[in-house]
Amino acid sequence: MTDGRSTPAWNGRRAARALDEVKRKGRARGEPCCICKQPIDYDLPSTDPDGCSVQHVKSRALFPHLTWDPANWSPAHLSCNKAEGKTATVSIGNTSRQW
């Protein structure tokens, strides 16, 4: 159900400002990637696969009204963000012993 308003697309200056905010807060807090939990080099350009991008904690597809809510943003590597939801991560478990 919608309230008759549309959600602006994730692009342009507004998205760039959101990325700047996520990078600023992530750098200050030393936050790792919210997907892989590995450190992010906040000095890399955002176009670098290991650079910071904005991950929407609750997906834009399911929660479009939260797209522009800063509480729904978290830092993620660009490569992790692009792969999120597109790859299966199935574990076969631990082996009983190593040879």
Side-chain angles (χ1 to χ4, degrees):
M1 187 164 23
T2 64
D3 61 3
R5 293 180 281 175
S6 64
T7 302
W10 186 263
N11 60 26
R13 282 187 228 148
R14 193 171 181 186
R17 285 193 305 268
L19 176 60
D20 288 344
E21 181 177 337
V22 166
K23 287 176 83 169
R24 181 182 55 76
K25 287 181 179 178
R27 181 183 287 116
R29 297 173 183 162
E31 289 184 62
C33 173
C34 67
I35 297 169
C36 74
K37 308 300 184 210
Q38 296 301 307
I40 296 174
D41 183 345
Y42 288 97
D43 294 324
L44 289 174
S46 298
T47 54
D48 187 291
D50 291 327
C52 182
S53 69
V54 177
Q55 171 69 24
H56 290 83
V57 179
K58 293 188 177 185
S59 83
R60 293 186 298 145
L62 297 176
F63 301 91
H65 60 285
L66 297 177
T67 295
W68 295 103
D69 182 351
N72 191 42
W73 303 338
S74 200
H77 294 113
L78 178 61
S79 58
C80 293
N81 197 335
K82 286 184 173 185
E84 180 73 359
K86 296 184 178 88
T87 58
T89 54
V90 178
S91 172
I92 60 169
N94 296 326
T95 57
S96 58
R97 66 173 146 148
Q98 290 184 329
W99 296 96

